[in-house]
Amino acid sequence: MKIPVVNRKEYTIYLEYFNEMYWLHTDVFKWSAKIKKEYLKELDTLQRLLNTTLYGLVEEWNIKLGKFGETIGFTYLRDLQGNDGNLYRIYTRSL
């Protein structure tokens, strides 16, 4: 279950606790350099409070989402074959 942890008119940040890991989800409604700076500040604070690595799961074909993750500090970890037969990429964001 995704739980909203930061609600802004420009974006919403969600966390999902699954398999003993925190998975990050974000809905972006508006984006700019200024919004990115605010987003990263809030994401850094959230991660410091959790004191843990964050994870992201991206469908292999969704290159745009993978690049977005990289711009906010995520790095590629490995590929994963899903139960649905699709290939996914796992990204991590360390403290």
Side-chain angles (χ1 to χ4, degrees):
M1 172 192 280
K2 295 188 319 186
I3 298 171
V5 292
V6 178
N7 280 311
R8 301 287 179 257
K9 66 180 181 180
E10 298 85 8
Y11 55 84
T12 301
I13 299 174
Y14 305 86
L15 284 178
E16 179 178 8
Y17 190 70
F18 177 75
N19 205 23
E20 299 184 21
M21 294 177 275
Y22 285 100
W23 298 84
L24 185 80
H25 303 268
T26 302
D27 290 333
V28 176
F29 310 112
K30 183 178 178 185
W31 198 250
S32 68
K34 181 181 176 186
I35 293 168
K36 179 182 177 183
K37 185 177 178 179
E38 293 168 3
Y39 176 92
L40 287 172
K41 183 179 175 182
E42 291 184 316
L43 184 57
D44 289 343
T45 299
L46 175 64
Q47 191 166 14
R48 275 194 309 276
L49 289 170
L50 292 169
N51 193 31
T52 191
T53 298
L54 297 175
Y55 293 85
L57 186 69
V58 178
E59 293 174 307
E60 178 197 29
W61 60 265
N62 197 340
I63 294 174
K64 183 178 177 182
L65 183 57
K67 287 184 179 185
F68 173 78
E70 291 171 353
T71 68
I72 61 170
F74 280 80
T75 56
Y76 169 80
L77 178 64
R78 67 181 182 93
D79 288 343
L80 170 74
Q81 184 78 37
N83 292 336
D84 60 3
N86 292 327
L87 186 62
Y88 296 89
R89 297 210 164 144
I90 297 177
Y91 289 83
T92 63
R93 187 178 196 266
S94 299
L95 294 169

